[in-house]
Amino acid sequence: MKSFHGISASDGIATGTAFVIPNAGKRIIPQKSILSSETELGWKRFEEAIKKVSDQIQVQLDAVQSNKVQSEIFTTYLVMLSDSVFIGEVKKAFEKELNNIEYILNKKIDEYAERLRLSGNEYLTERAKDIWDIFGLVLDELLDFHPFKIAQVPDGAVIVAQAMNPSDTMVLSKRRIAGLALTEGGISSHVTILARNYGIPLVFSLDNIINKITTGEKVIVDGESGVVIASPDDKTVADYDIKIEAEYRHQRARNMFRGLSGRTKDGTEFDIMANIGTPEEADLAIKEGAAGIGLFRTEFLFMSTSKPVGETSESVFSEESQFKAYKHVLEIMNNKPVTIRTLDAGGDKLIDSIEIPSLAEKNPLMGLRAVRLSLAYPQLFKTQLRALYRASVYGNLKILLPLISNVDQVKQCKKLAKEVQNELEKDNIPFKKDVPIGIMIETAAAAITSDCLAKECDFFSLGTNDLTQYTIGIDRENPAVSHLYNEFHLAVLRLIQTTFTCGSEAGISVSVCGEMASRRDSALVLAGMGIRTLSMSPKQICMVKELLSRFTIKELQAISAKSLNNL
């Protein structure tokens, strides 16, 4: 029996037969100079490769129309393949540099993916993999390079791999995959999102796992504790069979909580909210019984590649486009609170806009990102504020400012908000004047000075992912140090407690929208601290409601006190 410890990304427990996916052979990209007269033929080959890949994706899309999440992913891939801005950049470089199309495409993919990786934003880092995945398929067609096909995976298998490309996720629905054991992964990757959607246990950060497990071995994937067991003995199998049966009954019982509010055993009420990244996800939030939207990440609208043909990239994040997206979510939520976060992009040029020049920053995590970027380019920020205020009349809007570190930043944002209100009033455009403006507490500076910040804010939202990274200096996306990432570090817990205390004393609400809100152990600690609003992935809502219903407030307070006293 062999046990391997990693990081759990999707809960649940499953057993199955291992299917080890070999690492793909290295794609070799030649560099050859060409004549200008050869560009027409090269470009024709490029267009044919894009069409072939698009046709393949369309077939996959047609096969999963009944699954909203997977349909959206494949639709996104089709849009990426027709992105006029990116393709225009490739063509411009191809005609200017006069190198073979494979080399140019590879170079442009690298450049764009690197911008995303350097953003300092976990979700955008994962999207870099999407860029490489989908246009990597185009490269494969150009090079006539055909590595292992995921369709070879049999039903009921536990997939063991270095990583899974987003385009490989079709297998998750077509092959009834039992579990996933990966070396590389991420909490917000498409593979993780779909694994959660299908209830497939996933553990990642398993070092060199493809060389430690053999195809055909029996494997247990324990997404509850982040453990993968290969060739388990009879007693371990029997123990896990009991756990799996209990979890199945438990999951059926949890679904009953969709129509219930969050509350403890002794009746204390909680608002269990949803985190979303697209307007369409609001439908899922309603289905899962969310009390509202605790975090709408608007940067994904800005990163959208769905540009209508003939329109400039600016049209993607125009005032009108944003207004429609915000209005859509507010209307779906039917006057439930909707907290929309303003642009939280990184310091590198992540948006194809003439308004934001490209910046090469050595450390984008500490650079021109989030609210700093908005204040550096106030016109872009004011456009977003105009769209938000215009949409405010359609529901219960709250505006959230990311990565605030001092009071002056809040005052600058509120000044710009007031300017926008005056402009809308002058133009006779309806809006709500009393839209609450709150801030993300994501740095130690914000947490420590939260008593001062509370005087300028209507509410606080704790972004525990960044708060943890910034406080203990650990990048959880870096496999070399991700095992040191610890949301239960006493410094992190004390900063959360400080923020809650200062917010409560000032009479403003304090919520948590980071990963801590949806993890069993940390959700209990947060509830015991006094936090009554938790926001998470829609699929985690019933689990957290059911979890809270098992405890009294006194029991939760005891759990929290134990962690805060480092016992």
Side-chain angles (χ1 to χ4, degrees):
M1 186 169 77
K2 301 172 287 187
S3 294
F4 310 98
H5 295 264
I7 298 173
S8 174
S10 179
D11 291 342
I13 301 170
T15 62
T17 302
F19 188 94
V20 180
I21 297 179
N23 283 335
K26 186 172 177 61
R27 186 191 289 127
I28 299 174
I29 311 293
Q31 180 182 7
K32 297 182 292 185
S33 296
I34 64 172
L35 300 174
S36 58
S37 59
E38 297 177 281
T39 57
E40 184 177 350
L41 179 59
W43 192 251
K44 183 179 179 182
R45 289 180 53 241
F46 173 66
E47 291 180 324
E48 289 173 348
I50 283 186
K51 185 179 185 309
K52 189 167 184 178
V53 173
S54 297
D55 289 345
Q56 293 168 356
I57 298 297
Q58 185 63 57
V59 169
Q60 293 178 310
L61 174 60
D62 292 341
V64 295
Q65 286 293 344
S66 61
N67 184 282
K68 183 176 177 63
V69 176
Q70 197 151 4
S71 293
E72 288 174 357
I73 290 173
F74 286 128
T75 299
T76 299
Y77 293 162
L78 287 174
V79 171
M80 289 168 66
L81 286 167
S82 61
D83 180 1
S84 59
V85 172
F86 178 73
I87 291 173
E89 288 183 11
V90 174
K91 187 170 187 178
K92 183 178 179 181
F94 180 49
E95 294 174 345
K96 178 181 179 182
E97 298 180 26
L98 292 179
N99 279 306
N100 56 306
I101 188 61
E102 296 88 349
Y103 175 80
I104 294 296
L105 176 59
N106 183 72
K107 179 182 175 182
K108 298 306 290 186
I109 297 171
D110 247 346
E111 288 176 2
Y112 196 70
E114 187 64 12
R115 295 175 193 170
L116 296 172
R117 280 195 293 265
L118 292 174
S119 67
N121 181 292
E122 181 185 348
Y123 186 96
L124 298 183
T125 299
E126 291 295 340
R127 300 296 74 77
K129 298 176 183 177
D130 296 347
I131 294 289
W132 253 115
D133 180 31
I134 199 65
F135 281 101
L137 295 177
V138 177
L139 272 174
D140 290 344
E141 288 299 329
L142 288 167
L143 295 165
D144 196 24
F145 175 70
H146 301 291
F148 172 84
K149 296 296 184 184
I150 196 73
Q152 297 175 33
V153 176
D155 283 347
V158 170
I159 292 179
V160 179
Q162 178 77 14
M164 280 187 72
N165 292 324
S167 61
D168 293 336
T169 55
M170 176 95 169
V171 75
L172 300 186
S173 62
K174 302 300 285 185
R175 290 286 185 268
R176 298 195 299 276
I177 297 305
L180 296 165
L182 310 175
T183 294
E184 299 175 12
I187 297 298
S188 64
S189 70
H190 274 156
V191 174
T192 295
I193 291 170
L194 285 170
R196 289 174 181 161
N197 186 53
Y198 290 120
I200 299 171
L202 189 164
V203 177
F204 71 96
S205 197
L206 298 164
D207 185 47
N208 198 29
I209 193 67
I210 63 172
N211 293 318
K212 297 176 180 177
I213 294 178
T214 305
T215 294
E217 277 190 273
K218 184 164 188 174
V219 175
I220 298 171
V221 179
D222 185 344
E224 308 296 324
S225 58
V227 173
V228 172
I229 302 171
S231 297
D233 56 35
D234 291 343
K235 183 179 184 306
T236 300
V237 171
D239 289 344
Y240 268 101
D241 283 345
I242 294 171
K243 290 181 181 180
I244 290 169
E245 178 59 30
E247 178 60 26
Y248 174 72
R249 293 196 303 268
H250 200 180
Q251 183 58 53
R252 291 188 64 181
R254 277 191 202 128
N255 291 337
M256 296 171 57
F257 285 82
R258 284 178 173 170
L260 303 177
S261 61
R263 66 176 62 196
T264 58
K265 188 162 60 176
D266 53 350
T268 299
E269 294 276 351
F270 283 76
D271 289 323
I272 310 301
M273 307 278 199
N275 294 341
I276 64 173
T278 67
E280 293 73 24
E281 290 178 42
D283 291 305
L284 181 59
I286 289 291
K287 178 183 176 183
E288 295 297 329
I293 302 299
L295 175 65
F296 180 3
R297 306 178 182 94
T298 61
E299 56 269 24
F300 310 137
L301 297 177
F302 284 67
M303 287 303 303
S304 172
T305 55
S306 54
K307 307 174 184 67
V309 176
E311 292 193 22
T312 65
S313 57
E314 279 71 32
S315 64
V316 176
F317 50 90
S318 68
E319 179 183 328
E320 194 62 28
S321 295
Q322 291 186 66
F323 163 70
K324 289 177 181 177
Y326 307 148
K327 175 176 177 283
H328 178 78
V329 174
L330 287 162
E331 288 182 329
I332 285 176
M333 297 312 294
N334 194 26
N335 215 42
K336 290 182 178 180
V338 174
T339 301
I340 300 182
R341 185 173 69 187
T342 59
L343 179 61
D344 186 13
D348 204 354
K349 184 186 174 186
L350 299 178
I351 307 166
D352 293 307
S353 170
I354 58 174
E355 297 179 53
I356 303 178
S358 179
L359 298 173
E361 296 185 299
K362 290 184 178 180
N363 191 348
L365 272 172
M366 303 291 184
L368 191 63
R369 57 169 297 210
V371 76
R372 302 167 188 171
L373 183 72
S374 294
L375 292 174
Y377 299 97
Q379 194 52 52
L380 189 71
F381 185 39
K382 287 179 70 173
T383 297
Q384 183 170 31
L385 288 173
R386 280 181 62 92
L388 285 165
Y389 276 111
R390 285 176 56 198
S392 65
V393 297
Y394 295 94
N396 185 2
L397 173 66
K398 299 169 75 175
I399 296 174
L400 183 62
L401 306 173
L403 204 67
I404 291 290
S405 56
N406 60 63
V407 172
D408 189 53
Q409 290 173 327
V410 183
K411 289 181 176 179
Q412 290 180 62
C413 290
K414 289 171 70 175
K415 181 182 177 182
L416 290 170
K418 186 62 178 176
E419 289 178 12
V420 166
Q421 289 183 346
N422 291 339
E423 291 168 6
L424 291 172
E425 204 165 47
K426 183 179 178 181
D427 295 337
N428 293 317
I429 297 174
F431 68 95
K432 288 184 180 179
K433 293 183 179 181
D434 58 350
V435 174
I437 297 179
I439 67 169
M440 293 281 286
I441 302 291
E442 300 170 273
T443 66
I448 292 169
T449 61
S450 53
D451 57 334
C452 302
L453 288 163
K455 297 174 184 177
E456 293 292 333
C457 301
D458 296 313
F459 64 96
F460 288 155
S461 183
L462 281 150
T464 54
N465 303 349
D466 270 342
L467 182 62
T468 302
Q469 293 191 116
Y470 282 128
T471 300
I472 62 177
I474 298 296
D475 177 6
R476 66 174 177 164
E477 293 300 310
N478 182 340
V481 296
S482 60
H483 64 285
L484 299 173
Y485 179 90
N486 179 19
E487 295 166 327
F488 278 86
H489 192 292
L490 189 57
V492 177
L493 295 179
R494 286 182 175 176
L495 289 173
I496 294 172
Q497 182 69 72
T498 296
T499 301
F500 175 72
T501 299
C502 291
S504 298
E505 289 176 351
I508 66 174
S509 65
V510 180
S511 64
V512 174
C513 62
E515 286 298 314
M516 284 185 74
S518 63
R519 298 189 190 282
R520 289 181 176 85
D521 49 1
S522 51
L524 296 178
V525 171
L526 293 170
M529 285 184 184
I531 291 168
R532 298 292 177 262
T533 302
L534 302 171
S535 193
M536 62 206 64
S537 166
K539 282 291 183 179
Q540 304 300 312
I541 289 173
C542 287
M543 181 274 289
V544 172
K545 285 182 181 179
E546 188 270 341
L547 178 69
L548 292 171
S549 73
R550 290 191 252 147
F551 296 86
T552 65
I553 283 298
K554 284 188 177 180
E555 289 170 336
L556 293 172
Q557 288 170 342
I559 292 170
S560 184
K562 186 175 181 180
S563 293
L564 282 165
N565 288 299
N566 207 23
L567 298 176

